[in-house]
Amino acid sequence: KAAFINFINDEEWKSIEPLSSWFGPSSFLMSSMSALFKLSMWIRHGHGYLTENLGIPVWGSYAVFGLATLFLGTILGLVSEAL
């Protein structure tokens, strides 16, 4: 706590270079990282729902997500070929 207060009082923050636009909160890179994090949380909750609420074994949940990944990849591949 004391180090932070000294950092502010001694104006050490002025010597730090600002982040480049690539790492800004509204940049494409950070927005993509946020979307990936949200996707991982959705997958985690989906896995919990399948195993805890529906009683599917863990390997069954992995199989569901694996097949969904293959199916989605196939659909996206077909769509990108059509364009």
Side-chain angles (χ1 to χ4, degrees):
K1 180 177 171 182
F4 180 69
I5 291 172
N6 289 337
F7 178 78
I8 300 299
N9 288 338
D10 298 340
E11 296 183 356
E12 294 175 18
W13 51 270
K14 289 184 178 180
S15 64
I16 296 176
E17 294 184 34
L19 290 174
S20 70
S21 62
W22 277 92
F23 297 110
S26 61
S27 71
F28 175 75
L29 179 65
M30 290 298 135
S31 297
S32 300
M33 292 298 293
S34 173
L36 286 174
F37 181 75
K38 289 176 185 177
L39 176 64
S40 71
M41 292 305 294
W42 182 83
I43 290 171
R44 181 177 178 221
H45 289 300
H47 173 73
Y49 177 78
L50 290 175
T51 56
E52 295 169 11
N53 295 356
L54 298 182
I56 295 174
V58 172
W59 63 266
S61 174
Y62 290 160
V64 166
F65 283 109
L67 290 173
T69 301
L70 290 173
F71 178 73
L72 183 61
T74 302
I75 296 300
L76 289 174
L78 291 172
V79 168
S80 68
E81 282 293 318
L83 297 176

